[in-house]
PDB file of all heavy atoms in Angstrom:
ATOM      1  N   GLY A 217     -45.350   2.628 -16.563  1.00 96.00           N
ATOM      2  CA  GLY A 217     -45.052   3.099 -17.859  1.00 96.00           C
ATOM      3  C   GLY A 217     -45.614   4.492 -18.202  1.00 96.00           C
ATOM      4  O   GLY A 217     -45.096   5.316 -18.809  1.00 96.00           O
ATOM      5  N   ARG A 219     -45.681   6.901 -16.401  1.00 96.00           N
ATOM      6  CA  ARG A 219     -44.865   7.945 -15.717  1.00 96.00           C
ATOM      7  C   ARG A 219     -43.576   8.222 -16.669  1.00 96.00           C
ATOM      8  O   ARG A 219     -42.911   9.183 -16.271  1.00 96.00           O
ATOM      9  CB  ARG A 219     -44.494   7.634 -14.342  1.00 96.00           C
ATOM     10  CG  ARG A 219     -45.591   7.313 -13.473  1.00 96.00           C
ATOM     11  CD  ARG A 219     -45.082   7.142 -12.040  1.00 96.00           C
ATOM     12  NE  ARG A 219     -45.830   6.226 -11.283  1.00 96.00           N
ATOM     13  CZ  ARG A 219     -45.388   5.504 -10.204  1.00 96.00           C
ATOM     14  NH1 ARG A 219     -44.171   5.613  -9.778  1.00 96.00           N
ATOM     15  NH2 ARG A 219     -46.244   4.702  -9.516  1.00 96.00           N
ATOM     16  N   CYS A 220     -43.417   7.539 -17.612  1.00 96.00           N
ATOM     17  CA  CYS A 220     -42.180   7.639 -18.464  1.00 96.00           C
ATOM     18  C   CYS A 220     -42.339   8.800 -19.551  1.00 96.00           C
ATOM     19  O   CYS A 220     -43.362   8.672 -20.267  1.00 96.00           O
ATOM     20  CB  CYS A 220     -41.762   6.334 -19.088  1.00 96.00           C
ATOM     21  SG  CYS A 220     -40.280   6.475 -20.048  1.00 96.00           S
ATOM     22  N   ILE A 221     -41.465   9.648 -19.555  1.00 96.00           N
ATOM     23  CA  ILE A 221     -41.551  10.698 -20.572  1.00 96.00           C
ATOM     24  C   ILE A 221     -40.490  10.485 -21.723  1.00 96.00           C
ATOM     25  O   ILE A 221     -40.157  11.246 -22.554  1.00 96.00           O
ATOM     26  CB  ILE A 221     -41.323  12.153 -20.011  1.00 96.00           C
ATOM     27  CG1 ILE A 221     -39.903  12.201 -19.303  1.00 96.00           C
ATOM     28  CG2 ILE A 221     -42.462  12.536 -19.085  1.00 96.00           C
ATOM     29  CD1 ILE A 221     -39.508  13.636 -18.942  1.00 96.00           C
ATOM     30  N   ALA A 222     -39.952   9.247 -21.805  1.00 96.00           N
ATOM     31  CA  ALA A 222     -39.025   8.862 -22.795  1.00 96.00           C
ATOM     32  C   ALA A 222     -37.844   9.740 -22.990  1.00 96.00           C
ATOM     33  O   ALA A 222     -37.537   9.986 -24.134  1.00 96.00           O
ATOM     34  CB  ALA A 222     -39.805   8.613 -24.195  1.00 96.00           C
ATOM     35  N   CYS A 223     -37.250  10.265 -21.897  1.00 97.00           N
ATOM     36  CA  CYS A 223     -36.077  11.091 -22.094  1.00 97.00           C
ATOM     37  C   CYS A 223     -34.859  10.294 -22.267  1.00 97.00           C
ATOM     38  O   CYS A 223     -33.827  10.847 -22.655  1.00 97.00           O
ATOM     39  CB  CYS A 223     -36.023  11.891 -20.777  1.00 97.00           C
ATOM     40  SG  CYS A 223     -35.459  10.988 -19.283  1.00 97.00           S
ATOM     41  N   THR A 224     -34.806   9.059 -22.156  1.00 97.00           N
ATOM     42  CA  THR A 224     -33.800   8.026 -22.270  1.00 97.00           C
ATOM     43  C   THR A 224     -32.685   8.198 -21.256  1.00 97.00           C
ATOM     44  O   THR A 224     -31.561   7.437 -21.294  1.00 97.00           O
ATOM     45  CB  THR A 224     -33.122   8.172 -23.637  1.00 97.00           C
ATOM     46  OG1 THR A 224     -32.397   9.375 -23.739  1.00 97.00           O
ATOM     47  CG2 THR A 224     -34.256   8.059 -24.759  1.00 97.00           C
ATOM     48  N   GLY A 225     -32.817   9.090 -20.133  1.00 97.00           N
ATOM     49  CA  GLY A 225     -31.728   9.275 -19.223  1.00 97.00           C
ATOM     50  C   GLY A 225     -31.299   8.032 -18.541  1.00 97.00           C
ATOM     51  O   GLY A 225     -30.107   7.785 -18.307  1.00 97.00           O
ATOM     52  N   CYS A 226     -32.284   7.122 -18.150  1.00 97.00           N
ATOM     53  CA  CYS A 226     -32.007   5.877 -17.518  1.00 97.00           C
ATOM     54  C   CYS A 226     -30.987   5.001 -18.322  1.00 97.00           C
ATOM     55  O   CYS A 226     -29.986   4.536 -17.763  1.00 97.00           O
ATOM     56  CB  CYS A 226     -33.226   5.131 -17.144  1.00 97.00           C
ATOM     57  SG  CYS A 226     -34.320   4.777 -18.501  1.00 97.00           S
ATOM     58  N   ASN A 227     -31.260   4.798 -19.551  1.00 97.00           N
ATOM     59  CA  ASN A 227     -30.358   4.058 -20.366  1.00 97.00           C
ATOM     60  C   ASN A 227     -29.038   4.756 -20.580  1.00 97.00           C
ATOM     61  O   ASN A 227     -28.030   3.992 -20.644  1.00 97.00           O
ATOM     62  CB  ASN A 227     -30.954   3.799 -21.715  1.00 97.00           C
ATOM     63  CG  ASN A 227     -32.316   2.923 -21.613  1.00 97.00           C
ATOM     64  OD1 ASN A 227     -33.384   3.470 -22.068  1.00 97.00           O
ATOM     65  ND2 ASN A 227     -32.269   1.890 -21.053  1.00 97.00           N
ATOM     66  N   SER A 255     -31.989   3.378 -26.856  1.00 96.00           N
ATOM     67  CA  SER A 255     -32.686   3.354 -25.619  1.00 96.00           C
ATOM     68  C   SER A 255     -33.916   2.500 -25.758  1.00 96.00           C
ATOM     69  O   SER A 255     -34.835   2.779 -26.710  1.00 96.00           O
ATOM     70  CB  SER A 255     -33.093   4.782 -25.077  1.00 96.00           C
ATOM     71  OG  SER A 255     -34.039   4.676 -24.166  1.00 96.00           O
ATOM     72  N   GLN A 257     -36.433   2.687 -24.115  1.00 96.00           N
ATOM     73  CA  GLN A 257     -37.601   3.461 -23.741  1.00 96.00           C
ATOM     74  C   GLN A 257     -38.113   4.266 -24.836  1.00 96.00           C
ATOM     75  O   GLN A 257     -39.203   4.913 -24.718  1.00 96.00           O
ATOM     76  CB  GLN A 257     -37.321   4.457 -22.500  1.00 96.00           C
ATOM     77  CG  GLN A 257     -36.902   3.689 -21.224  1.00 96.00           C
ATOM     78  CD  GLN A 257     -38.143   2.946 -20.619  1.00 96.00           C
ATOM     79  OE1 GLN A 257     -37.956   1.921 -19.881  1.00 96.00           O
ATOM     80  NE2 GLN A 257     -39.329   3.395 -20.771  1.00 96.00           N
ATOM     81  N   LEU A 258     -37.534   4.162 -25.991  1.00 96.00           N
ATOM     82  CA  LEU A 258     -38.002   4.936 -27.221  1.00 96.00           C
ATOM     83  C   LEU A 258     -38.915   4.008 -28.083  1.00 96.00           C
ATOM     84  O   LEU A 258     -38.703   2.809 -28.250  1.00 96.00           O
ATOM     85  CB  LEU A 258     -36.815   5.347 -28.122  1.00 96.00           C
ATOM     86  CG  LEU A 258     -35.834   6.444 -27.420  1.00 96.00           C
ATOM     87  CD1 LEU A 258     -34.697   6.737 -28.337  1.00 96.00           C
ATOM     88  CD2 LEU A 258     -36.644   7.673 -27.099  1.00 96.00           C
ATOM     89  N   GLU A 274     -45.694   2.231 -23.853  1.00 95.00           N
ATOM     90  CA  GLU A 274     -44.714   2.635 -22.741  1.00 95.00           C
ATOM     91  C   GLU A 274     -44.773   1.523 -21.753  1.00 95.00           C
ATOM     92  O   GLU A 274     -43.649   1.342 -21.134  1.00 95.00           O
ATOM     93  CB  GLU A 274     -45.183   3.962 -22.268  1.00 95.00           C
ATOM     94  CG  GLU A 274     -43.986   4.797 -21.698  1.00 95.00           C
ATOM     95  CD  GLU A 274     -42.837   5.049 -22.670  1.00 95.00           C
ATOM     96  OE1 GLU A 274     -43.093   6.005 -23.551  1.00 95.00           O
ATOM     97  OE2 GLU A 274     -41.913   4.390 -22.569  1.00 95.00           O
ATOM     98  N   THR A 278     -41.343  -0.107 -20.525  1.00 97.00           N
ATOM     99  CA  THR A 278     -40.774   0.053 -19.122  1.00 97.00           C
ATOM    100  C   THR A 278     -40.663  -1.333 -18.598  1.00 97.00           C
ATOM    101  O   THR A 278     -39.678  -1.627 -17.825  1.00 97.00           O
ATOM    102  CB  THR A 278     -41.822   0.838 -18.351  1.00 97.00           C
ATOM    103  OG1 THR A 278     -41.846   2.187 -18.951  1.00 97.00           O
ATOM    104  CG2 THR A 278     -41.353   1.046 -16.867  1.00 97.00           C
ATOM    105  N   ARG A 281     -37.428  -2.734 -19.834  1.00 97.00           N
ATOM    106  CA  ARG A 281     -36.229  -2.153 -19.194  1.00 97.00           C
ATOM    107  C   ARG A 281     -35.799  -2.843 -17.837  1.00 97.00           C
ATOM    108  O   ARG A 281     -34.690  -3.285 -17.565  1.00 97.00           O
ATOM    109  CB  ARG A 281     -36.396  -0.692 -18.983  1.00 97.00           C
ATOM    110  CG  ARG A 281     -35.265   0.002 -18.175  1.00 97.00           C
ATOM    111  CD  ARG A 281     -35.275   1.490 -18.199  1.00 97.00           C
ATOM    112  NE  ARG A 281     -36.674   1.970 -17.644  1.00 97.00           N
ATOM    113  CZ  ARG A 281     -36.793   2.278 -16.304  1.00 97.00           C
ATOM    114  NH1 ARG A 281     -35.716   2.201 -15.451  1.00 97.00           N
ATOM    115  NH2 ARG A 281     -37.930   2.748 -15.890  1.00 97.00           N
ATOM    116  N   CYS A 304     -29.588   5.370 -12.563  1.00 97.00           N
ATOM    117  CA  CYS A 304     -30.945   5.663 -13.207  1.00 97.00           C
ATOM    118  C   CYS A 304     -31.948   6.244 -12.284  1.00 97.00           C
ATOM    119  O   CYS A 304     -32.791   7.019 -12.801  1.00 97.00           O
ATOM    120  CB  CYS A 304     -31.448   4.239 -13.839  1.00 97.00           C
ATOM    121  SG  CYS A 304     -31.687   2.918 -12.658  1.00 97.00           S
ATOM    122  N   VAL A 307     -31.023  10.049 -12.177  1.00 96.00           N
ATOM    123  CA  VAL A 307     -31.341  10.833 -13.423  1.00 96.00           C
ATOM    124  C   VAL A 307     -32.777  10.899 -13.807  1.00 96.00           C
ATOM    125  O   VAL A 307     -33.192  11.800 -14.522  1.00 96.00           O
ATOM    126  CB  VAL A 307     -30.434  10.398 -14.581  1.00 96.00           C
ATOM    127  CG1 VAL A 307     -28.953  10.598 -14.255  1.00 96.00           C
ATOM    128  CG2 VAL A 307     -30.750   9.089 -15.025  1.00 96.00           C
ATOM    129  N   CYS A 308     -33.590   9.875 -13.410  1.00 98.00           N
ATOM    130  CA  CYS A 308     -34.900   9.803 -13.966  1.00 98.00           C
ATOM    131  C   CYS A 308     -35.801  10.965 -13.378  1.00 98.00           C
ATOM    132  O   CYS A 308     -35.928  11.058 -12.180  1.00 98.00           O
ATOM    133  CB  CYS A 308     -35.645   8.509 -13.521  1.00 98.00           C
ATOM    134  SG  CYS A 308     -37.357   8.448 -14.142  1.00 98.00           S
ATOM    135  N   PRO A 309     -36.268  11.826 -14.263  1.00 97.00           N
ATOM    136  CA  PRO A 309     -36.960  13.012 -13.878  1.00 97.00           C
ATOM    137  C   PRO A 309     -38.381  12.682 -13.292  1.00 97.00           C
ATOM    138  O   PRO A 309     -39.036  13.523 -12.680  1.00 97.00           O
ATOM    139  CB  PRO A 309     -37.169  13.882 -15.086  1.00 97.00           C
ATOM    140  CG  PRO A 309     -36.844  12.928 -16.251  1.00 97.00           C
ATOM    141  CD  PRO A 309     -36.072  11.774 -15.710  1.00 97.00           C
ATOM    142  N   THR A 310     -38.864  11.418 -13.505  1.00 97.00           N
ATOM    143  CA  THR A 310     -40.292  11.079 -13.024  1.00 97.00           C
ATOM    144  C   THR A 310     -40.209  10.088 -11.982  1.00 97.00           C
ATOM    145  O   THR A 310     -41.275   9.491 -11.548  1.00 97.00           O
ATOM    146  CB  THR A 310     -41.132  10.706 -14.253  1.00 97.00           C
ATOM    147  OG1 THR A 310     -40.614   9.441 -14.755  1.00 97.00           O
ATOM    148  CG2 THR A 310     -41.187  11.750 -15.308  1.00 97.00           C
ATOM    149  N   GLY A 311     -38.990   9.752 -11.418  1.00 97.00           N
ATOM    150  CA  GLY A 311     -38.956   8.857 -10.247  1.00 97.00           C
ATOM    151  C   GLY A 311     -39.206   7.416 -10.553  1.00 97.00           C
ATOM    152  O   GLY A 311     -39.779   6.739  -9.648  1.00 97.00           O
ATOM    153  N   ILE A 312     -38.845   6.916 -11.713  1.00 97.00           N
ATOM    154  CA  ILE A 312     -39.124   5.491 -11.957  1.00 97.00           C
ATOM    155  C   ILE A 312     -37.787   4.843 -12.421  1.00 97.00           C
ATOM    156  O   ILE A 312     -37.669   3.938 -13.265  1.00 97.00           O
ATOM    157  CB  ILE A 312     -40.205   5.154 -13.034  1.00 97.00           C
ATOM    158  CG1 ILE A 312     -40.056   6.043 -14.274  1.00 97.00           C
ATOM    159  CG2 ILE A 312     -41.552   5.423 -12.394  1.00 97.00           C
ATOM    160  CD1 ILE A 312     -40.981   5.581 -15.411  1.00 97.00           C
ATOM    161  N   GLY A 313     -36.710   5.207 -11.697  1.00 98.00           N
ATOM    162  CA  GLY A 313     -35.473   4.420 -11.829  1.00 98.00           C
ATOM    163  C   GLY A 313     -35.604   2.994 -11.230  1.00 98.00           C
ATOM    164  O   GLY A 313     -36.696   2.700 -10.629  1.00 98.00           O
TER     165      GLY A 313
HETATM  166  S1  SF4 B 402     -35.221   8.337 -17.154  1.00 57.33           S
HETATM  167 FE1  SF4 B 402     -37.196   7.877 -16.467  1.00 57.33          FE
HETATM  168  S2  SF4 B 402     -38.635   9.170 -17.696  1.00 57.33           S
HETATM  169 FE2  SF4 B 402     -36.495   9.073 -18.681  1.00 57.33          FE
HETATM  170  S3  SF4 B 402     -36.735   7.339 -20.239  1.00 57.33           S
HETATM  171 FE3  SF4 B 402     -35.971   6.453 -18.299  1.00 57.33          FE
HETATM  172  S4  SF4 B 402     -37.710   5.831 -17.083  1.00 57.33           S
HETATM  173 FE4  SF4 B 402     -38.491   7.217 -18.678  1.00 57.33          FE
END
Side-chain angles (χ1 to χ4, degrees):
R219 301 186 212 158
C220 178
I221 58 170
C223 70
T224 74
C226 50
N227 298 120
S255 166
Q257 294 293 149
L258 292 176
E274 209 57 83
T278 299
R281 171 171 62 89
C304 58
V307 301
C308 179
T310 63
I312 50 169

